[in-house]
């Protein structure tokens, strides 16, 4: 195994995540795409950790941080979506344009 | 290293066996017409990435991923989907008209990243060599020490963020009761 | 990193002028497990906070139970220490503080078991236990009972942490814990403004003193290289060079801390106001916890004062004597029964402080010991009376001796002990203080102390007469308190009678020794003065003063005299208003500290505002107006307007187009973000 | 230090494959034994006889007959159901169950368990959470209100009780100083008393949470017959139902086995050397006790209300288990 294969895989996943982030209408699916991007980042972090092989395993520690923050982000994100859905009976991001000038 | 050399290594078959379904599942996450299916494909993607972590000897991270993501985050997603709307069958309008610019942007990101990888690969020593750390699982004690010694402050900060998220989630999602309903709730 | 250095300190003795240091044992299981006493009240606190509301007695069981265990534990230690001195010290290094003043300091927790701390453990546990039991009856049906008992446990626990502290840092932790708990308890009935004011007053007054304590701790810690009392004592006993320079300053700063907690003049103002809390709190605060903390600190650091900080003692004795005499007078005019007792506490604290400052370590502690019993007794008795008549004012009382016999008799015993009548506990301890003052050459102060004894006896007689004799002037039908409350009274009356016999000068009780030997078990011997035989002449002066006070009080406030008339007879023109207004000290603080901020300072600021700033502003204004006219006429109308109109038109047109970008759609923004990031990365790559 | 990583060499894979096959085969066997025990025990607790005729005596073959019956039955999929999700849900539940079995130590040798992982207990908790997804999938895809509500209830319940389940094990991990299952058992064997004595709070919380994770009475709101027909399994029949059925009983076994490993000393027992063939029997005996208690509770206690269930988890079990962790950690440092 070499580093490049993981980096390429991460890049592909990250691009797919960006595509989903920009193209999906449903807010939940947008969040799913964000999770995809975070997964790509985690793969990169762990792969780099395996590459540099630091004794303190910084890459893995950061991957765990990312996972934790992602959990918090999903919690808040879903709460917001729930609130929006309750108020507007729609979970589509492109209909949420109250801030439009 | 040529591609056939690479393929001769059995561990790379394992990698392919994980990475190819993973990519397919990731594509389905962002293109599936059904929200629940998208979430379930994300489960597949994450399970495969947990497998990759095990290949990379990051066993603890792999199980954290399973426990936190598959065990909790995705369940939360499904929960959220089912509470907001859970139509069975396909939805026609999951992606909107902006999908072509979005595809363009993501392709640009992909191109830039791949170009960066190739550009850097020549400059870093051992970039094309086998990964040194693979073969011995990282001792979880090292991670534990990392968390409470060197990364203590980020660790506490993350704990604080989780707390804030907890409170925020409750505050956002709870329904404001009318006075009559509140009375009702108190009586129960 | 936590490293345990939990070894029993071998009997480390340095001859501080004395050759025969007693052999001290490390103590057995009970000494090693003394930390349990420190932890139990906190466990009770947590338990009550979490589950108190659901328990039958609202959590009181937990508080009483924890205190009961502590009492048993402390009693075993007490007996062990009687039979042979114990010394053990355990330190756990919790964290490194870092380099301060050229030495590495660390934060340690632990506990110390020696003569002094065992005595304090026992007093806190004994008085605490009885007060807790009493409070179960007293607080029945009150508001927030669980929280009350939780705070009470916190109070006792913090005091034990303070008493058990082997170093200054832990002492400060306990010290602040005591302050916090007292704040909570004094303000227990916070619905009334004056109660929460009293709590704030107590807290703030103590904070002033705490500054001294903390500065002193830092000073001593830095110069000594550590905060441990044992090191401090040893260094002081050796006349350590490191300490010589800072002894005076450090000693005075620590004394400042002690002044706050032990209510020495002029920081005594919080203590009488602290009556706002429920009576059991007052009993605990005045007898075993809180106010004894300052005396304890002085006793713990006694070698410093004894050997190095002699100049500091010259400052301490006058303050203590002022406290004991001048503030005792305030009790004469107080109408509130608890306030009488509060001023008597202040006065008695003055005695203790005077003794310790004069070099009478044993005498001060012995008075602390006996005072704890009879002051707790008096407060609980007062609480019993208040519980019966629903008023704090003695003008609502009178004639209660037949209605509440148990309370009456125990209160009289307590009063006589406080007045110093032979053979009750107060007589012996006060006598030792007089002997110490006399021996150390403070003859004038000794006479003041004798006069103080007269005052004490007088106001206590007054309180007893007004409360229990004459005719009842309140409303309703008072009756004796429940057994839950009279039980502790009787239990406290016993040591009030007999505690004095444990330290009759020159008398030693076979294998168990006497009080002097019990508190003598310390890391270094104290070398203080204590009389070797009863000094009958001094004892006679003290006793005569006390009897004279009682006689005068009885004459003035005899049962036939109605209270108001009796008080009127006492209203000496200048003195009476002075005392009624507490020497105007509260006024002084109000007008001397608070009003300079409110009044003159505000006026000063106003003047500056009106004259300096306004003038400047007006000047600038005038200048600007002139400039404005110039600019408007010449530049604006003729030149700028043209440019501006063009710019505005352009901005309007551009805005009209640009606003299309603000679609409100989050994904378009995200797309912009992605493209922006791409461009940035590309630029970065190209540049590098 | 062990890991999944050094997987080179055919022997390794062959051994692993055989062990996995044994674990997979164990699921139906365990399911049948426990299922039969439940039938008989519940019958006796209600003064009935229970299965009687099948197999001659005591109705011992009842479950086999039931199994054959289930497999023969037509596999009905509702017309409105989301077919792939509906089909995969039981498999996922079963996967979580089987994956749990591989880390239960029966014997100190390397043949005593499939793999001894450095983070064994963590792995067990992680994979046990996978079944949650299966339950949600089943509930959602059935196109049935009852199933849907059952699935939602299950998700809420499983997330809520996942936390005390994980937190309750932390005390043991702190005390043993390792997360390896073998290591935890060895720690108990070495000190010659099980962690049950010090971690009794943890054991109580763990078993309560395990009952809830299994959605068994008194925590069976997701499949409450009187309210939701059968919750998320309403629409299942035939061998897919059998999967759910077996998974529940096999999960009872594996949860109890984990509790035995963590709290009851695993294969250790006073006076009996740990490396004999008795070791697995000791584990099974201890598991049997816990399983019996679970069955007993099921036929004794009434069902909780949904809000009481959440209250129990969030307001009681989680705070208590956190306090337990703090106390254990403090004692570990101090003592």
């Amino acid at each position: 195994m070499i580093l490049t294969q993981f980096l390429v895989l991460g890049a592909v996943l990250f691009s797919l995540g960006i595509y989903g982030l920009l193209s999906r209408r449903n807010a939940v699916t947008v969040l799913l795409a964000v999770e995809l991007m975070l997964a790509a980042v985690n793969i990169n972090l762990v792969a780099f950790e395996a590459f540099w092989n630091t004794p303190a395993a910084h890459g893995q520690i950061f991957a765990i941080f990312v996972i934790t923050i992602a959990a918090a982000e999903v919690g808040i994100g879903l709460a917001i979506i729930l609130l929006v859905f309750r108020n507007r009976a729609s979970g589509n991001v492109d209909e949420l344009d109250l801030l439009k000038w | 290293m040529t591609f056939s050399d690479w393929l001769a290594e059995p561990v790379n078959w394992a990698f392919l066996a994980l990475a190819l379904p993973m990519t397919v599942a990731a594509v389905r996450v962002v293109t599936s017409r059904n929200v629940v299916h998208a979430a379930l494909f994300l489960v597949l993607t994450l399970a495969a990435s947990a497998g990759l972590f095990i290949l990379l000897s990051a066993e603890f991270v792999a199980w954290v991923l399973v426990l936190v993501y598959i065990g909790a985050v995705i369940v939360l997603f499904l929960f959220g989907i089912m509470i907001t709307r859970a139509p069975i069958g396909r939805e026609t309008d999951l992606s909107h008209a902006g999908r072509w610019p979005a595809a363009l942007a993501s392709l640009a990101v992909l191109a830039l990243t791949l170009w960066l990888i190739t550009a850097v690969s020549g400059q870093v020593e051992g970039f094309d060599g086998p990964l040194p750390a693979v073969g011995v699982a990282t001792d979880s004690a090292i991670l534990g020490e990392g968390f409470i010694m060197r990364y203590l402050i980020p660790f506490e900060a993350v704990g604080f963020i989780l707390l804030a998220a907890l409170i925020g989630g409750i505050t956002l999602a709870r329904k404001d009761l009318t006075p009559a309903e509140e009375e009702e709730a108190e009586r129960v | 990193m936590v490293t345990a250095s939990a070894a029993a300190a071998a009997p480390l003795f340095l001859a501080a002028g004395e050759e025969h240091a007693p052999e001290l044992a490390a103590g057995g299981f009970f000494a090693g497990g003394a930390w349990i006493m420190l932890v139990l009240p906190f466990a009770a606190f947590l338990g009550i906070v979490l589950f108190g509301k659901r328990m039958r007695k609202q959590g009181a069981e937990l508080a009483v139970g924890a205190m009961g265990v502590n009492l048993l534990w402390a009693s075993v230690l007490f007996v062990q220490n009687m039979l042979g001195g114990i010394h053990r010290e355990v330190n756990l290094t919790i964290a490194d503080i870092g380099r301060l003043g050229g030495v590495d300091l660390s934060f340690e927790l632990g506990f110390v078991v020696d003569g002094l701390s065992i005595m304090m453990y026992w007093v806190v546990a004994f008085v605490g236990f009885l007060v807790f039991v009493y409070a179960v009856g007293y607080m029945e049906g009150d508001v927030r009972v669980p929280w009350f008992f939780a705070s009470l446990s916190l109070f006792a626990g913090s005091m034990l942490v303070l008493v058990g502290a082997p170093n200054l840092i832990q002492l400060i932790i306990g010290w602040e814990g005591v302050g916090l708990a007292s704040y909570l308890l004094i303000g227990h009935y916070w619905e009334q403004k004056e109660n929460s004011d009293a709590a704030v007053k107590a807290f703030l007054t103590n904070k002033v003193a705490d500054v001294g304590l903390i500065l002193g701790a830092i000073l001593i810690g830095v110069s000594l290289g550590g905060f441990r009392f044992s090191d401090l004592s040893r260094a002081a006993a050796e006349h350590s060079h490191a300490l010589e320079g800072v002894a005076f300053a450090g000693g005075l700063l620590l004394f400042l801390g002690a002044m706050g907690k032990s209510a020495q003049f002029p920081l005594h103002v919080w203590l009488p106001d602290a009556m706002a809390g429920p009576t059991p709190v007052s009993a605990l605060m005045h007898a075993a916890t809180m106010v004894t903390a300052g005396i304890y600190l002085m006793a713990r650091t006694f070698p410093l004062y004894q050997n190095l900080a002699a100049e500091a003692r010259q400052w301490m004795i006058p303050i203590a004597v002022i406290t004991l005499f001048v503030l005792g007078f305030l009790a004469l005019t107080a109408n509130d029964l608890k306030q009488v007792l509060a001023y008597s506490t202040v006065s008695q604290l003055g005695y203790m402080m005077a003794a310790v400052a004069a070099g009478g370590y044993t005498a001060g502690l012995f008075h602390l010991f006996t005072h704890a019993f009879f002051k707790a007794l008096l407060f609980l008795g007062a609480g019993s009376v208040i519980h019966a008549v629903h008023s704090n004012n003695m003008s609502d009382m009178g004639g209660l001796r037949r209605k509440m016999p148990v309370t009456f008799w125990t209160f009289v015993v307590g009063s006589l002990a406080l007045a110093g009548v032979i053979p009750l506990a107060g007589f012996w301890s006060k006598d030792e203080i007089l002997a110490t003052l006399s021996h150390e050459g403070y003859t004038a102060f000794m006479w003041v102390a004798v006069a103080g004894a007269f005052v004490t006896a007088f106001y206590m007689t007054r309180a007893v007469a007004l409360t229990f004799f004459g005719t009842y002037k309140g409303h309703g039908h008072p009756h004796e308190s429940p057994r839950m409350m009279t039980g502790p009274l009787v239990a406290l009356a016993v040591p009030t009678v007999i505690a004095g016999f444990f330290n009759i000068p020159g008398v030693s009780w076979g294998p168990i020794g006497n009080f002097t030997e019990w508190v003598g078990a310390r890391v270094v011997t104290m070398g203080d003065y204590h009389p070797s035989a009863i000094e009958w002449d001094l004892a006679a002066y003290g006793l005569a003063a006390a009897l004279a006070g009682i006689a005068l009080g009885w004459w003035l406030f005899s049962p036939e005299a109605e209270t108001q008339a009796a008080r009127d007879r006492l209203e000496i023109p200048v003195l009476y208003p002075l005392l009624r207004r507490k020497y105007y000290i509260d006024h002084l603080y109000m007008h001397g500290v608070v009003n300079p901020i409110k009044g003159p300072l505000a006026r000063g600021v106003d003047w500056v505002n009106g004259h300096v700033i306004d003038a400047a502003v007006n000047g600038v204004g005038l200048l600007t107006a002139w400039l404005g006219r110039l600019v408007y006429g010449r530049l604006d109308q003729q030149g700028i307007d043209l440019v501006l109109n063009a710019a505005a038109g352009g901005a309007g047109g551009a805005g009209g187009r640009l606003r299309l970008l603000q679609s409100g759609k989050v994904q378009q923004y995200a797309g912009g973000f992605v493209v922006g990031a791409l461009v940035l990365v590309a630029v970065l790559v190209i540049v590098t | 230090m062990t890991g999944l990583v050094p997987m080179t060499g055919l022997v390794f894979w062959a051994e692993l494959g055989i062990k996995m096959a044994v674990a997979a085969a164990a699921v139906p066997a365990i399911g049948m034994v426990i299922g039969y025990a439940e039938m008989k025990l519940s019958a006796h607790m209600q003064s009935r006889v229970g299965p009687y005729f099948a197999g001659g005596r005591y109705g011992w073959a009842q479950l086999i007959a039931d199994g054959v019956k289930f497999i023969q039955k037509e596999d009905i999929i509702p017309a409105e159901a989301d077919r792939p999700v509906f089909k995969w849900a039981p498999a996922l539940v079963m996967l979580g169950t089987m994956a749990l079995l591989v880390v239960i130590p029966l014997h100190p040798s390397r043949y005593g368990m499939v793999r001894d992982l450095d983070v064994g207990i963590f792995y067990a908790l992680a994979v046990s959470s996978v079944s949650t997804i299966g339950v949600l999938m089943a509930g959602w895809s059935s196109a049935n209100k009852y199933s849907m509500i059952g699935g939602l209830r299950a998700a809420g319940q499983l997330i809520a009780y996942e936390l005390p389940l994980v937190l309750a094990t932390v005390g043991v991990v702190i005390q043993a100083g390792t997360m390896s299952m073998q290591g935890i058992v060895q720690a108990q064997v070495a000190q010659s008393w099980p962690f049950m004595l010090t971690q009794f709070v943890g054991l109580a919380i763990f078993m309560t949470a395990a009952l809830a994770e299994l959605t068994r009475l008194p925590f069976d709101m997701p499949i409450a017959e009187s309210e939701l027909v059968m919750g998320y399994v309403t629409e299942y029949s035939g061998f897919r139902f059998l999967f759910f059925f077996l998974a529940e009983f096999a999960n009872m076994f594996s949860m109890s086995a984990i509790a035995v490993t963590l709290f009851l000393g695993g294969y250790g027992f006073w006076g009996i050397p740990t490396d004999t063939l008795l070791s697995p029997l000791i584990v099974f005996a201890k598991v049997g006790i816990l399983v019996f208690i679970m069955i007993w509770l099921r036929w004794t206690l009434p069902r909780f209300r949904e809000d009481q269930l959440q209250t129990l988890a969030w307001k009681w079990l989680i705070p208590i288990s956190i306090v337990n962790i703090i106390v254990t950690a403090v004692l570990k440092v101090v003592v």
Side-chain angles (χ1 to χ4, degrees), chain C residues 363 366-367 370-371 374 425-434 500:
Chain C
F366 188 49
H367 196 55
T370 58
H371 175 258
F374 52 73
F427 167 77
W428 302 102
S429 53
K430 212 172 273 182
D431 179 43
E432 281 210 28
I433 292 174
L434 296 181

Side-chain angles (χ1 to χ4, degrees), chain C residues 464-490:
Chain C
V464 171
L466 292 185
T467 308
F468 291 102
F469 291 88
T471 52
Y472 181 56
K473 295 175 282 293
H475 308 287
H477 298 281
H479 50 80
E480 186 58 277
S481 301
R483 189 97 28 102
M484 202 75 160
M485 289 164 67
T486 52
L489 292 180
V490 176

Side-chain angles (χ1 to χ4, degrees), chain B residues 46-60:
Chain B
L46 293 169
S49 84
L52 289 180
F53 290 164
I54 290 175
L55 283 187
L56 286 169
S57 67
E59 210 174 294
F60 188 79

Side-chain angles (χ1 to χ4, degrees), chain A residues 6-68:
Chain A
F6 291 98
L7 298 187
V8 171
L9 181 64
V12 170
L13 286 187
F14 193 79
S15 316
L16 282 171
I18 284 184
Y19 171 73
L21 174 73
L22 297 183
S23 70
R24 303 291 256 176
R25 291 187 70 196
N26 188 310
V28 175
T29 45
V30 171
L31 269 187
L32 287 176
V34 173
E35 297 305 312
L36 208 54
M37 290 160 72
L38 289 173
V41 169
N42 277 343
I43 290 175
N44 268 22
L45 281 174
V46 176
F48 273 119
E49 164 59 35
F51 178 67
W52 293 115
N53 199 12
T54 56
H58 301 306
Q60 298 187 20
I61 286 176
F62 268 89
I64 292 175
F65 277 139
V66 170
I67 291 171
T68 320

